[in-house]
Amino acid sequence: MDFPQNMSMEEAFALAEAEARLNAALQESKVRFDKAEMPNRLNEDWRFGRPHVYAREWAARFKDGENCFEYVGFDNSDEHITRLTADDEDLRQTEMLMPTIGSDALLALHLKRFGDGHVLYIEEDTKEPICLGYGTRWAASPSTFIMVAPGVKAEVAITYACLEIGYIFATCNIQVAEGAELKVRVNTWGDGADGRCMLITNIQNMGGKVAHLTEYQGLRWVREETVAEIYAPGSETKLFSANKLGENAVLDQHTKQIHHAGGATSDLLYKNVLDGNATATFAGNIYVAPGAHNTDAYQSNRNLMLSEDATVNSLPGLEILADKVRCSHGSASGPMDEEQLFYLLSRGIPTYEAHQLIADGFLNEAIEKFKG
Amino acid sequence: MSLVIKNLHARVKDGAPILNGINLEIPKGEVHAIMGPNGSGKSTLSKVLCGHPDYEVTAGSAEMDGQDLFAMSVDERSRAGLFLAFQYPVEVPGVTNANFMRAALKARLPEGEEVDAVSFYKELRGKMKQLGMDPKFTARAVNEGFSGGEKKRNDILQMMMLNPSYAILDETDSGLDVDALRIVSEGVNAMRAPFRSFLVITHYKRLLDYIRPDVVHVLYQGQIVRTAGFEMVDYIEQHGFDFLKTSEE
């Protein structure tokens, strides 16, 4: 290691220690990825759909080459935002260590392209949402880091556009300090051709309030892995998703609400409207660590099925290793309520518009709760 | 110009017959009331006329100003001028009253035309005031979390906005307190016109004291068994429906 000439001994030691930690992390992540398997049906986290096909196609697209962004940017100038660079080793390390739910091998492909994206250090309240946008027609791996300082209120909106046959593999690391409040709304869309998206999110809540909403539309395939880690009493974490799935769409959502500390709440509501032969899989888990007493956690997956050819796999789960907790989960899937439909028709609203209104209304619950 | 029902037979799909040959004519400008004991087929008649999928017409016809009602879909019947105020108005979560009403009005416009937002809200708020409804209800989901009375008022609000030619009020008085009954009745009376008819289904005289019908029918076992003037309301109020069983014997 080369040290600058004017560096003090203490600074040199600190730098050396930092580099040693980074090397250890690199080694750790290398071991992790060497052990990682490409998705297959024997892996519980990739049980449904056609994981081998998607993973193979995904790997082929991301194995080589540079990120091909159609655009990267934000629509309001903000001093909180800096562009990510490939030599930001702290953030590379953060990303290497971010938890996945069965996608370590695919995350390794993402890390090969590390260096595009945004870093948001939010140290004062935002008046308007900070808006980020990424789009591609081929393959892109943006990374977003959001860090909110204690007591600060902020909103962030992220848009991913998978144009034509574009694939996006996005990661998002969110850290919320004590007393901070953050809302993150993630909208991912395609133009109906063959857009695909993987979104891996890690939320670390240190005693603040976080609301996170994902919305997907017009995409052929979506894989979402969201891990919310709750580290301090008083934390509030709310996870929402609201999606309309059309013909051939496959949505594969996996979530974990991990309560490391007691006295905190987490709430999840994922809702989908499925039409045609769309498929939605939801596998969620609430984990309450030993000693995380007085946890209050809830998880709900609701699906409105407009077609008999649509498929839903819903697997809510609880793993509770503490006492005095209140945890529950629910799942319900069913067709449109005939009485609701008749009511709208009886007011002269045509069938198609009535379906759309009821479907939008069904999803609105999640969106309105996100807005608070 | 009238609503003409001839020899109407209907049943619950794959179930027992409920309407057994109803004959009824409601000319434009008149208010008709239907009374009858529980289970006589009053609500079934209203749902069959509007095309509820749970019911099946097995014989007979219904024409609205010469148009075959049963040849039209549910939404077409509404746009042609038929309205049903539900006995139990349905909750539609997530769809605001304003969006719901706007969609219903837009469906009545030529394709591509939009509802003018300014005049729409002005009219909506004006009619809500008339019915004693809080303006905040425009932003609330249709009937979600409403009390029974609020739901009924909301149905009457929809009727006032949609201006139907033939309105069926199915036990609109149930769930309304005295003041709400008066307000709703005043709203209905304000809509009485030579170009509009009402069919009021009720068990109780108190609604008909406010919305005074021109003709009163008694429905029993799926048939209209009596047709008379307002004196029938007084008679039923005093004697109940036992006279139907007596005449059956």
Side-chain angles (χ1 to χ4, degrees):
Chain A
M1 175 184 274
D2 293 328
F3 297 111
Q5 285 184 341
N6 57 353
M7 184 176 271
S8 69
M9 185 66 80
E10 288 77 16
E11 287 171 330
F13 273 127
L15 190 61
E17 275 179 17
E19 186 156 320
R21 280 200 305 275
L22 176 61
N23 286 335
L26 287 170
Q27 188 57 35
E28 187 183 324
S29 66
K30 185 174 182 314
V31 170
R32 176 181 163 197
F33 292 124
D34 285 346
K35 278 198 265 179
E37 282 183 313
M38 284 300 280
N40 61 71
R41 274 228 169 93
L42 298 176
N43 182 335
E44 182 63 23
D45 295 321
W46 285 84
R47 217 168 103 193
F48 295 98
R50 300 190 305 152
H52 51 296
V53 175
Y54 290 121
R56 200 180 319 136
E57 290 172 358
W58 203 258
R61 187 73 69 91
F62 279 86
K63 198 167 58 180
D64 303 306
E66 299 291 313
N67 283 326
C68 304
F69 283 106
E70 192 70 17
Y71 62 84
V72 177
F74 48 93
D75 67 3
N76 53 349
S77 63
D78 200 300
E79 67 273 21
H80 303 300
I81 303 175
T82 55
R83 283 294 295 273
L84 182 66
T85 57
D87 59 2
D88 196 325
E89 292 302 341
D90 281 347
L91 295 180
R92 185 195 294 269
Q93 183 182 351
T94 300
E95 191 153 296
M96 279 178 173
L97 296 176
M98 75 185 295
T100 75
I101 307 175
S103 293
D104 280 5
L106 293 176
L107 182 63
L109 296 173
H110 173 81
L111 281 162
K112 284 180 75 172
R113 291 166 174 244
F114 178 85
D116 279 315
H118 290 97
V119 186
L120 279 63
Y121 294 102
I122 307 175
E123 293 175 309
E124 55 190 54
D125 293 0
T126 58
K127 293 186 184 74
E128 302 277 326
I130 300 170
C131 300
L132 306 176
Y134 307 95
T136 185
R137 289 178 200 279
W138 180 244
S141 290
S143 306
T144 305
F145 296 85
I146 303 170
M147 284 147 276
V148 188
V152 170
K153 284 185 185 176
E155 288 188 39
V156 178
I158 308 174
T159 303
Y160 300 107
C162 303
L163 306 164
E164 298 171 3
I165 56 168
Y167 286 17
I168 280 186
F169 189 140
T171 58
C172 188
N173 278 280
I174 298 168
Q175 289 180 15
V176 178
E178 186 180 0
E181 292 182 28
L182 175 67
K183 284 183 180 175
V184 181
R185 185 169 186 165
V186 183
N187 186 284
T188 309
W189 61 276
D191 51 14
D194 192 15
R196 303 184 190 194
C197 175
M198 266 195 82
L199 179 57
I200 298 181
T201 303
N202 180 214
I203 299 167
Q204 297 188 346
N205 193 341
M206 316 291 187
K209 292 180 181 176
V210 187
H212 186 264
L213 169 70
T214 55
E215 296 165 284
Y216 305 99
Q217 52 193 321
L219 294 153
R220 174 79 177 78
W221 182 74
V222 173
R223 169 91 179 179
E224 175 190 325
E225 296 178 16
T226 299
V227 178
E229 296 182 277
I230 294 132
Y231 285 104
S235 301
E236 281 182 31
T237 307
K238 294 178 179 177
L239 306 175
F240 304 103
S241 191
N243 310 295
K244 263 188 191 175
L245 309 174
E247 190 74 21
N248 294 326
V250 176
L251 173 63
D252 195 9
Q253 294 177 297
H254 298 255
T255 65
K256 280 187 180 172
Q257 296 153 254
I258 302 176
H259 285 258
H260 296 290
T265 65
S266 71
D267 191 3
L268 177 147
L269 177 61
Y270 274 33
K271 299 188 94 171
N272 300 307
V273 175
L274 295 92
D275 206 349
N277 62 353
T279 301
T281 297
F282 170 81
N285 182 256
I286 297 173
Y287 174 81
V288 182
H293 305 306
N294 300 312
T295 288
D296 187 341
Y298 185 63
Q299 182 189 78
S300 176
N301 175 226
R302 300 273 184 272
N303 298 284
L304 176 61
M305 301 170 81
L306 303 182
S307 157
E308 289 185 357
D309 296 326
T311 305
V312 167
N313 308 298
S314 188
L315 300 96
L318 304 173
E319 193 175 351
I320 301 167
L321 305 176
D323 303 323
K324 290 189 287 181
V325 299
R326 190 167 69 176
C327 286
S328 56
H329 59 190
S331 173
S333 302
M336 188 167 280
D337 185 309
E338 289 288 341
E339 293 299 326
Q340 279 181 17
L341 181 60
F342 177 69
Y343 194 66
L344 269 69
L345 295 175
S346 78
R347 300 304 183 239
I349 300 170
T351 307
Y352 177 79
E353 282 76 9
H355 279 170
Q356 294 302 313
L357 268 177
I358 292 172
D360 288 344
F362 177 79
L363 297 177
N364 260 349
E365 184 194 1
I367 295 166
E368 291 302 318
K369 281 188 172 174
F370 167 77
K371 288 177 181 171
Chain B
M1 301 292 272
S2 54
L3 177 64
V4 183
I5 301 164
K6 285 184 183 165
N7 190 33
L8 178 60
H9 289 71
R11 62 181 184 186
V12 176
K13 263 190 184 151
D14 304 323
I18 299 176
L19 304 182
N20 299 304
I22 288 189
N23 291 290
L24 188 63
E25 180 169 359
I26 307 171
K28 277 268 173 73
E30 292 189 2
V31 174
H32 287 220
I34 289 189
M35 302 183 80
N38 290 327
S40 58
K42 301 184 299 297
S43 289
T44 298
L45 173 63
S46 65
K47 286 182 177 173
V48 166
L49 291 175
C50 290
H52 195 287
D54 283 355
Y55 299 93
E56 190 176 20
V57 175
T58 51
S61 65
E63 287 188 355
M64 192 168 71
D65 298 338
Q67 297 179 84
D68 180 359
L69 212 52
F70 299 147
M72 290 189 266
S73 61
V74 178
D75 53 315
E76 285 170 344
R77 294 178 205 197
S78 168
R79 294 197 296 275
L82 186 64
F83 182 88
L84 170 63
F86 283 58
Q87 185 178 358
Y88 303 108
V90 178
E91 296 187 3
V92 191
V95 179
T96 64
N97 264 321
N99 283 346
F100 177 75
M101 278 317 308
R102 202 153 47 182
L105 290 169
K106 184 175 185 292
R108 286 159 169 79
L109 296 175
E111 193 160 341
E113 276 191 32
E114 292 293 331
V115 175
D116 179 69
V118 176
S119 54
F120 164 72
Y121 276 103
K122 191 177 171 192
E123 188 182 354
L124 185 64
R125 285 172 192 276
K127 295 197 183 324
M128 289 175 85
K129 191 175 176 187
Q130 197 179 337
L131 289 170
M133 293 174 74
D134 188 332
K136 286 179 185 160
F137 275 56
T138 54
R140 282 184 59 180
V142 177
N143 296 329
E144 195 179 31
F146 288 22
S147 69
E150 288 167 343
K151 287 179 181 176
K152 295 295 178 77
R153 283 191 211 208
N154 205 29
D155 256 26
I156 298 302
L157 172 69
Q158 291 165 21
M159 181 179 76
M160 293 167 85
M161 290 295 289
L162 296 177
N163 269 317
S165 306
Y166 296 92
I168 304 168
L169 311 183
D170 188 4
E171 295 194 28
T172 294
D173 49 341
S174 65
L176 289 182
D177 62 33
V178 181
D179 293 329
L181 181 68
R182 180 180 49 78
I183 291 166
V184 164
S185 301
E186 283 170 1
V188 172
N189 284 333
M191 288 186 72
R192 290 177 81 153
F195 51 82
R196 183 176 292 123
S197 303
F198 291 90
L199 179 60
V200 183
I201 296 170
T202 184
H203 283 289
Y204 303 109
K205 180 173 180 284
R206 58 177 191 170
L207 176 67
L208 301 177
D209 283 335
Y210 284 113
I211 308 171
R212 200 171 173 86
D214 301 299
V215 181
V216 178
H217 307 278
V218 179
L219 188 66
Y220 182 59
Q221 294 184 342
Q223 289 183 317
I224 301 287
V225 294
R226 294 279 195 287
T227 294
F230 193 79
E231 68 277 6
M232 177 60 78
V233 178
D234 289 325
Y235 183 85
I236 290 170
E237 182 74 4
Q238 286 175 24
H239 303 286
F241 292 109
D242 281 348
F243 70 96
L244 297 169
K245 293 168 193 164
T246 312
S247 60
E248 195 180 15
E249 285 159 11

